[in-house]
């Protein structure tokens, strides 16, 4: 019974062709047992024998240009929920070969959104296993002219299989990350097309993140229950935009950018361009179009061309930008988040234009050692949050209004950074971070890793490879986080994270790596492989609850121990207290807004003491806003540690934190502080003692 629910493994086998689509339940069970036995046996082998997943190709964010058209398939789709006890029935019975309404009655489902909170049914909210989506769409005749047609999903949780007009076109097994496929040969031009998607939210020991499925007794007999240790709701569905777009036959497949700053205000933009489709040129082009070349130019915010470069044969080069405007974080410069527009023109040998792609580029440097982290040679002190992609009704579904509100609140409160806890956030949020000057600790979905087996390592590495490939060109990304709160005291964790850390550094040596740790420093086996140590600790909450006098000293001592043990820079990436909005006690009492304010203040005192030692470089409150979790008697409607409610309204602690963050910005970078940060109380506050007049220095 339990094995039948591990459909994510079965799904992978169907896609690889190792099982026919008409296999029965007994074959399903036999396969699962074989996979499990194979995994158990593989534990005796060295992890180095494990092959990596194929590297990611393409996946440039869909953008219109002279040579490309983009449409979205967002809207209301048809939706069908599988039987939890027979999750692969739809594959066996070929549901993808006809309209889903001919199989069973469907319901409308908005895309993008999580499906869990859309209905009023607990069976859908808590569903385990597969669900099916369907969308009808047209492709115009004009797209049937020497073009490729692509279908791209921003994120589906977790395993996904996609069919076009009954033909399988792609699959993907890790949520939070994009995937795409060319569908030129599967679509009908000038006619209706049917897109069918099956997604599976089942979590097992080898998935990222991990989970287990248990069989338990209920009033109605045995039921299947999904268990996981991470403290956020396991939302599922098509969470981000679905794009339909075109490229030329020979097209720009990928672009990699690295930037640098030299003396005399000169910026360097090093680029590599990958082109695909050359193998078809003999069919479509006579005479041949090779050798190809690219013309790359950079425009400033005013739209003026400030530099350009031409690369022939080897499609890479360097753009030299004089009088460069560097990318600076918010509050470190009067013009934070400065972005250039990079235009890449792909030409044939006869100078005819084949393809055009534009992207935003921020020019900055990043350096680090065991005592500091530097951006553009200026030391950084990070102040911000852990966050979640989470909101009422839509769950983790992408929403531009919510995204814009969140970034405006980050700016209002004076934060300069956040961590994408505990998974990659939307590509649109990364673009916003670039534009707002908000620095990102970019975290993969490896949350609470526990059973360190080879198949998990393979999936963990794949999630990092896909994440780095997707986000490597973002100036806002200053660090890769390879895990959150792994059970890093386990003996197997040493070798596991050694390979994972080395692999991440191989993929991108230009950024430091970290992980959010919560085991004791002396028992941890992961920190030795990191560039920067991040730790989570909930003093006066999970430890010594209610004891506000047991915070400052404990924070100072633990941070110092991490530094002394490894001689590396340290960040506190989580601290906080659940707070029910509107609840007040005098004296302060646990769960009240008053308690949250005092708890923050006690941490601030510790942080200021640690800042004086230079190697402590950041403070991240948990959490930005309240969010939904699995049902628990310790959670009143979810996790309430946010300084904003789930509806993005401030609790009283938000005003205290705002004063903290802007005061730090004033002290460290002499930024201009908004007049309403400190409310008028008495005449000497017209010029508070801590506000120095830098004009007199």
């Amino acid at each position: 019974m339990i094995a039948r629910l591990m459909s994510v493994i079965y799904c992978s086998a169907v896609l690889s062709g190792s099982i026919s689509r008409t296999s029965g339940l007994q074959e399903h069970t036999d396969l699962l047992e074989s996979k499990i036995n194979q995994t158990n046996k593989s534990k005796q082998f060295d992890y180095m024998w494990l092959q990596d997943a194929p590297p990611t190709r393409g996946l440039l964010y869909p953008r219109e240009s002279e040579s490309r058209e983009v449409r979205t398939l967002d809207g209301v789709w048809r939706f069908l929920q599988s039987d939890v006890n027979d999750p692969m029935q739809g594959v066996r019975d070929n549901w993808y070969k006809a309209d889903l309404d001919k199989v069973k009655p469907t319901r409308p489902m908005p895309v993008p959104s999580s499906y869990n909170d859309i209905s009023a049914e607990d069976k859908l909210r808590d569903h385990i296993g597969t669900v099916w989506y369907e969308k009808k769409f047209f492709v115009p005749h004009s797209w049937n002219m020497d073009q490729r047609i692509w279908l791209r999903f921003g994120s589906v949780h977790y395993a996904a299989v996609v069919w076009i007009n009954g033909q399988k076109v792609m699959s993907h097994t890790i949520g939070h990350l994009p995937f795409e496929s060319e569908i030129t040969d599967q679509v009908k031009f000038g006619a209706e097309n049917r897109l069918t998607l099956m997604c599976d939210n089942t979590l097992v020991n080898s998935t990222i993140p991990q989970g287990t499925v248990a069989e338990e007794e209920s009033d109605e007999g045995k039921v299947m229950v999904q268990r996981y240790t991470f403290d956020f709701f396991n939302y599922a569905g098509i969470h981000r935009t679905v794009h339909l777009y075109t490229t030329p036959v020979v097209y720009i497949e990928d672009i990699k950018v690295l930037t640098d700053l030299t003396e005399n205000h000169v910026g360097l933009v090093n680029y590599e361009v990958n082109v695909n489709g050359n193998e078809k040129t003999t069919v479509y082009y006579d005479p041949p179009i090779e050798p190809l070349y690219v013309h790359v130019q950079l425009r400033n915010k005013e739209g003026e061309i400030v530099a350009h470069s031409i690369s022939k044969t080897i499609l890479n080069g360097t753009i030299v930008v004089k009088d460069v405007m560097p990318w600076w974080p918010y509050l470190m410069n009067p013009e934070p988040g400065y972005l250039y527009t990079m235009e890449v023109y792909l030409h044939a040998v006869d100078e005819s234009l084949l393809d055009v792609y534009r992207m935003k580029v921020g020019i900055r440097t990043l350096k680090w050692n065991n005592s500091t982290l530097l951006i553009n040679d200026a030391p950084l002190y990070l102040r911000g949050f852990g966050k979640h992609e989470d909101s009422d009704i839509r769950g983790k579904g992408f929403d531009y209004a919510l995204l814009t509100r969140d970034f405006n609140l980050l700016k209002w409160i004076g934060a300069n950074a956040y961590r994408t806890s505990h998974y990659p956030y939307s590509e649109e949020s990364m673009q916003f971070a670039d534009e707002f000057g908000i620095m990102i600790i970019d975290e993969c979905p490896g949350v609470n890793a526990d059973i360190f087996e080879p198949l998990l390592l393979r999936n963990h590495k794949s999630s990092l490879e896909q994440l780095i490939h997707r986000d490597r060109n973002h100036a806002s990304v200053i660090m890769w986080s390879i895990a959150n709160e792994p059970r890093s005291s386990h003996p197997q964790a040493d070798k596991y994270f050694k390979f994972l850390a080395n692999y991440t550094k191989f993929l991108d040596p230009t950024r430091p790596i970290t992980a959010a740790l919560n085991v004791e420093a002396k028992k941890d086996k992961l920190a030795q492989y990191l560039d920067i140590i991040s730790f989570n600790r909930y003093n006066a909450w999970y430890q010594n609850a209610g004891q506000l006098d047991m915070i400052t000293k404990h924070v100072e001592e633990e941070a110092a121990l991490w530094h002394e043990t490894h001689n590396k820079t340290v960040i506190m990436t989580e601290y906080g207290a659940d707070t029910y909005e509107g609840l007040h006690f005098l004296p302060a009492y646990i769960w009240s807004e008053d308690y949250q304010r005092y708890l923050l203040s006690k941490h601030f005192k510790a942080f200021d003491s640690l800042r004086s030692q230079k190697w402590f470089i950041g403070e991240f409150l948990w959490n930005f806003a309240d969010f939904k979790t699995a049902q628990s008697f310790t959670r009143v409607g979810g996790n309430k540690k946010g300084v904003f409610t789930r509806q993005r309204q401030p609790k009283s602690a938000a005003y205290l934190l705002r004063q903290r963050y802007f005061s730090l910005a004033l002290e460290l970078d002499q930024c201009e502080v908004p007049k309403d940060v400190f409310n008028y109380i008495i005449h000497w506050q017209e010029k508070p003692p801590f506000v120095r007049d830098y004009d007199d220095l």
Side-chain angles (χ1 to χ4, degrees):
M1 187 74 170
I2 294 176
R4 291 188 312 180
L5 269 176
M6 295 183 181
S7 49
V8 66
I9 301 176
Y10 180 81
C11 179
S12 298
V14 170
L15 300 175
S16 65
S18 59
I19 286 187
S20 67
R21 294 193 179 101
T22 58
S23 297
L25 292 178
Q26 185 57 51
E27 290 169 296
H28 184 189
T29 303
D30 291 345
L31 171 77
L32 290 168
E33 291 176 352
S34 172
K35 290 281 186 182
I36 292 169
N37 290 335
Q38 180 181 352
T39 299
N40 290 335
K41 289 179 181 178
S42 66
K43 291 178 182 178
Q44 60 187 296
F45 295 110
D46 193 294
Y47 288 132
M48 288 193 69
W49 293 13
L50 195 65
Q51 292 184 349
D52 294 331
T56 304
R57 295 186 60 176
L59 287 175
L60 289 174
Y61 189 80
R63 300 184 188 279
E64 289 189 320
S65 71
E66 298 90 321
S67 57
R68 298 173 177 232
E69 293 186 58
V70 179
R71 291 171 50 190
T72 75
L73 297 182
D74 293 354
V76 178
W77 294 38
R78 305 310 301 172
F79 180 85
L80 183 59
Q81 183 178 351
S82 297
D83 183 349
V84 68
N85 291 314
D86 192 3
M88 301 309 293
Q89 178 189 0
V91 176
R92 294 196 319 275
D93 294 348
N94 301 326
W95 288 359
Y96 51 86
K97 289 190 174 181
D99 292 358
L100 288 181
D101 277 316
K102 295 180 180 179
V103 176
K104 292 181 181 180
T106 63
R107 70 176 82 193
M109 185 59 64
V111 171
S113 74
S114 301
Y115 60 71
N116 308 80
D117 293 343
I118 299 299
S119 78
E121 304 167 13
D122 60 353
K123 288 187 177 180
L124 182 58
R125 180 194 66 199
D126 303 325
H127 177 70
I128 311 167
T130 60
V131 298
W132 292 72
Y133 287 82
E134 182 182 83
K135 178 72 172 180
K136 303 288 184 63
F137 66 95
F138 283 82
V139 177
H141 283 295
S142 60
W143 283 19
N144 190 21
M145 298 177 63
D146 295 342
Q147 294 187 96
R148 295 173 182 257
I149 317 300
W150 298 85
L151 177 64
R152 188 183 195 273
F153 290 84
S155 172
V156 177
H157 284 55
Y158 288 94
V161 191
V162 183
W163 294 267
I164 295 292
N165 298 323
Q167 300 181 61
K168 181 174 67 97
V169 293
M170 58 177 151
S171 63
H172 192 250
T173 56
I174 299 176
H176 314 282
L177 292 162
F179 58 100
E180 68 179 13
S181 177
E182 183 182 357
I183 58 171
T184 311
D185 295 335
Q186 286 77 36
V187 296
K188 295 178 287 187
F189 295 93
E192 186 178 72
N193 293 272
R194 185 182 69 257
L195 189 167
T196 310
L197 178 140
M198 180 187 73
C199 80
D200 184 354
N201 70 343
T202 311
L203 299 175
V204 295
N205 286 338
S206 60
T207 58
I208 299 288
Q210 287 178 310
T212 58
V213 178
E215 183 180 67
E216 298 183 1
E217 290 287 346
S218 75
D219 294 341
E220 300 176 354
K222 292 183 178 181
V223 296
M224 309 311 299
V225 179
Q226 174 78 72
R227 301 294 187 196
Y228 48 87
T229 60
F230 53 85
D231 188 31
F232 54 94
F233 192 81
N234 189 34
Y235 280 117
I238 303 176
H239 281 161
R240 296 173 190 157
T241 291
V242 183
H243 284 105
L244 194 67
Y245 72 97
T246 71
T247 66
V249 174
V250 180
Y251 65 102
I252 299 166
E253 181 183 50
D254 208 354
I255 302 170
K256 182 179 180 181
V257 172
L258 293 174
T259 68
D260 199 1
L261 295 169
T262 67
E263 297 178 357
N264 302 319
H265 304 287
V266 174
L268 302 178
V269 179
N270 303 297
Y271 62 87
E272 297 178 14
V273 178
N274 290 336
V275 172
N276 203 346
N278 306 49
E279 73 281 358
K280 293 188 176 182
T281 57
T282 56
V283 177
Y284 292 97
Y285 295 96
D286 186 21
I289 63 173
E290 296 189 274
L292 306 172
Y293 73 93
V294 292
H295 177 206
V296 183
Q297 59 188 29
L298 222 58
R299 294 183 184 269
N300 61 19
K301 281 191 174 181
E302 289 72 36
E304 301 166 340
I305 298 174
V306 295
H308 72 96
S309 173
I310 294 178
S311 298
K312 298 183 178 180
T313 309
I314 300 176
L315 305 182
N316 55 52
T318 300
I319 302 175
V320 179
V321 187
K322 298 180 180 179
D323 297 320
V324 66
M325 290 288 291
W327 187 93
W328 284 101
Y330 178 50
L331 299 177
M332 285 189 72
N333 186 274
E335 193 166 359
Y338 192 95
L339 297 174
Y340 292 88
T341 299
M342 181 175 176
E343 300 177 333
V344 182
Y345 297 88
L346 176 65
H347 290 272
V349 67
D350 63 356
E351 299 188 3
S352 60
L353 184 62
L354 300 177
D355 194 13
V356 182
Y357 188 83
R358 293 177 176 86
M359 59 189 289
K360 298 290 186 178
V361 173
I363 302 176
R364 57 113 178 103
T365 63
L366 197 64
K367 302 174 185 176
W368 66 95
N369 53 39
N370 61 357
S371 62
T372 191
L373 175 65
L374 304 168
I375 192 163
N376 304 334
D377 292 327
L380 284 174
Y381 186 75
L382 306 174
R383 47 204 182 263
F385 299 93
K387 287 180 84 273
H388 267 297
E389 290 187 318
D390 173 277
S391 64
D392 285 334
I393 302 176
R394 61 184 61 82
K396 291 192 181 301
F398 175 74
D399 180 81
Y400 264 119
L402 181 70
L403 179 66
T404 306
R405 172 71 173 178
D406 281 359
F407 271 87
N408 284 331
L409 290 176
L410 287 167
K411 186 176 180 180
W412 174 85
I413 209 167
N416 66 4
Y418 67 80
R419 177 170 62 112
T420 68
S421 44
H422 302 298
Y423 42 82
Y425 292 177
S426 70
E427 292 164 281
E428 293 82 0
S429 72
M430 306 305 294
Q431 296 161 14
F432 267 52
D434 289 342
E435 293 176 4
F436 276 73
I438 301 297
M439 293 176 285
I440 302 295
I441 299 178
D442 214 352
E443 191 162 275
C444 77
V447 53
N448 293 17
D450 189 0
I451 303 172
F452 299 105
E453 58 184 24
L455 186 54
L456 177 71
L457 178 59
R458 185 179 191 273
N459 290 332
H460 204 154
K461 291 168 72 176
S462 178
S463 73
L464 278 162
E465 189 277 332
Q466 293 180 57
L467 170 63
I468 292 172
H469 183 96
R470 190 195 77 166
D471 290 348
R472 64 192 178 189
N473 293 334
H474 288 286
S476 56
V477 177
I478 62 164
M479 213 177 302
W480 305 114
S481 176
I482 65 175
N484 173 76
E485 297 190 357
R487 311 309 186 230
S488 55
S489 61
H490 288 191
Q492 304 96 319
D494 192 324
K495 184 176 289 186
Y496 181 97
F497 283 109
K498 179 180 180 180
F499 285 120
L500 192 66
N502 288 338
Y503 180 68
T504 307
K505 293 177 181 180
F506 165 76
L507 292 172
D508 181 15
T510 70
R511 293 175 175 91
I513 67 168
T514 191
L517 308 174
N518 72 335
V519 304
E520 296 178 29
K522 292 298 184 183
K523 296 180 179 180
D524 170 77
K525 295 176 172 57
L526 166 56
Q528 61 185 314
Y529 303 117
L530 303 175
D531 298 309
I532 294 173
I533 296 172
S534 302
F535 75 99
N536 303 343
R537 191 69 65 219
Y538 291 89
N539 292 288
W541 189 254
Y542 296 129
Q543 294 85 29
N544 306 314
Q547 298 295 323
L548 290 169
D549 59 344
M550 296 185 181
I551 295 175
T552 304
K553 184 178 179 181
H554 288 173
V555 172
E556 292 180 26
E557 290 177 347
E558 183 170 11
L561 182 58
W562 282 110
H563 175 68
E564 292 165 4
T565 303
H566 300 285
N567 190 30
K568 295 176 181 178
T569 50
V570 177
I571 301 170
M572 192 169 193
T573 38
E574 290 186 27
Y575 70 97
D578 281 275
T579 306
Y580 199 84
E581 64 270 22
L583 181 65
H584 289 276
F585 280 100
L586 183 65
Y589 198 80
I590 198 167
W591 277 91
S592 70
E593 292 199 38
D594 316 276
Y595 188 86
Q596 187 183 38
R597 285 174 58 93
Y598 277 109
L599 182 141
L600 266 59
S601 181
K602 293 287 187 177
H603 280 84
F604 296 163
K605 187 175 181 180
F607 297 152
D608 282 348
S609 174
L610 291 166
R611 283 195 304 121
S612 66
Q613 302 180 56
K614 305 303 181 184
W615 49 260
F616 186 80
I617 63 168
E619 55 190 74
F620 288 76
L621 176 70
W622 188 263
N623 188 282
F624 174 76
D626 295 344
F627 56 92
K628 188 171 181 176
T629 64
Q631 296 188 66
S632 167
F633 60 84
T634 64
R635 296 284 177 248
V636 185
N639 190 305
K640 299 291 187 179
K641 292 188 181 68
V643 294
F644 296 101
T645 67
R646 203 179 189 209
Q647 292 72 38
R648 273 47 177 190
Q649 296 302 325
K651 301 176 187 177
S652 59
Y655 296 94
L656 178 67
L657 193 67
R658 186 176 188 232
Q659 292 174 350
R660 166 75 178 177
Y661 284 173
F662 272 108
S663 295
L664 285 169
L666 178 67
E667 175 191 334
L668 298 173
D669 298 301
Q670 299 82 54
C671 79
E672 183 177 346
V673 176
K675 293 181 179 180
D676 64 343
V677 170
F678 297 95
N679 295 328
Y680 181 88
I681 299 173
I682 196 168
H683 64 88
W684 49 255
Q685 278 199 315
E686 287 288 349
K687 191 171 184 180
F690 59 85
V691 179
R692 301 174 62 187
D693 191 344
Y694 290 91
D695 293 336
D696 297 336
L697 296 181

